Amino acid sequence: MLTHLRPTLVLTTALTVVTGLAYPLAMTGLAGTLFPAKAAGSLVERDGVVVGSALIGQSFTGERYFHGRPSATTAPDPADATKTVAAPYNAANSGGSNLGPTSQALRDRVADDLARLKSENPAAPVPMDLVTTSGSGLDPDISPEAALFQAPRIARTRGLPEDRVRDLVAAQTQDRLLGILGEPRVNVLALNLALDAQAGQVRTGR
C-alpha cells in the first residue's frame, strides 16, 4: 500500500510547491519588475498622496466634477448586519444589482436618473452608461459621449469656457486597444484630476 501512496504523495507535494508557491512567486516578481505600477494596483497619486486606482471607480457627486456610471454595490448595514445598504464602488463587494427589465425598482431608479440628467442638459440625449450600472459596479471609465454630456454643467459650475472642458475630455479619451478591442473611454478619476489642474491654471492665469 505504501508503494502506491508514495508516488501520489510525492507528486501532490511537488505540484503544490510548483503551482502553489514557486509559480505565483515567480509571476509576482516578474510582474513587479516589468510592470511595477500595474502590479501595485495602478495607483494614482496627486502631490505624492494616493487618491485612488485607475482600475476602480469612485463616487463623485459634486457638481464641479464629472460623474461615473451608477454603481449597485452594497455593504452591511451598520444598524442591522442582516441587511445591506447602498455603497457605490465598494471594491470589497463587487457585483451588479441583478435587477431585470421587469423590476419596478430598476425602472424607478432609471427614471429618476433620466429626469435629473435631462434637467442638467436638456439639449442632448442622455448616454446609456450614465443610467446603467456595470456588471462589477466598479467601472472606472465612461464613454466620451457621457463625459461630453456633462461638459455644460462642469463649465457652468467652474466658470470655464465649455470648449476648454470639451478639449480636456478629448485629451483624456483613450482609444480602442490596438485600434480594434473595446470602445473609446475616459477614466473619470484621471479626467477629474486633469480638470482640477486645468482650473488651477485658469485661476493663476496660465
Side-chain angles (χ1 to χ4, degrees):
M1 182 176 179
L2 186 59
T3 303
H4 294 291
L5 285 178
R6 184 179 293 109
T8 302
L9 293 174
V10 170
L11 183 60
T12 300
T13 302
L15 288 175
T16 300
V17 171
V18 172
T19 63
L21 185 62
Y23 179 76
L25 287 176
M27 291 300 101
T28 300
L30 186 63
T33 301
L34 297 179
F35 313 103
K38 292 183 178 180
S42 297
L43 300 179
V44 178
E45 295 185 0
R46 179 172 64 179
D47 300 329
V49 178
V50 174
V51 295
S53 168
L55 303 178
I56 299 178
Q58 296 187 30
S59 182
F60 290 96
T61 58
E63 293 297 304
R64 294 167 52 83
Y65 288 100
F66 288 93
H67 301 163
R69 297 184 66 172
S71 172
T73 57
T74 60
D77 187 344
D80 186 347
T82 64
K83 299 179 181 179
T84 59
V85 293
Y89 298 100
N90 178 13
N93 191 27
S94 173
S97 68
N98 292 326
L99 298 179
T102 60
S103 168
Q104 190 59 48
L106 177 62
R107 292 181 180 182
D108 291 344
R109 198 271 298 164
V110 171
D112 290 344
D113 286 351
L114 277 172
R116 173 179 53 79
L117 290 165
K118 285 181 178 178
S119 67
E120 174 184 311
N121 187 355
V126 178
M128 184 179 296
D129 53 326
L130 287 183
V131 295
T132 57
T133 62
S134 65
S136 68
L138 306 177
D139 194 346
D141 304 321
I142 55 176
S143 65
E145 293 77 15
L148 291 172
F149 178 88
Q150 301 177 68
R153 167 175 56 80
I154 298 295
R156 184 171 58 252
T157 57
R158 292 216 178 219
L160 295 171
E162 187 173 328
D163 287 345
R164 190 187 295 268
V165 178
R166 289 178 172 274
D167 289 343
L168 189 63
V169 171
Q172 291 295 319
T173 298
Q174 303 174 60
D175 201 359
R176 294 178 175 89
L177 182 63
L178 302 178
I180 56 174
L181 300 178
E183 295 294 332
R185 63 203 182 279
V186 183
N187 185 280
V188 179
L189 175 58
L191 180 58
N192 282 329
L193 290 174
L195 177 63
D196 277 346
Q198 180 69 55
Q201 290 176 359
V202 172
R203 284 195 296 270
T204 58
R206 288 181 291 172

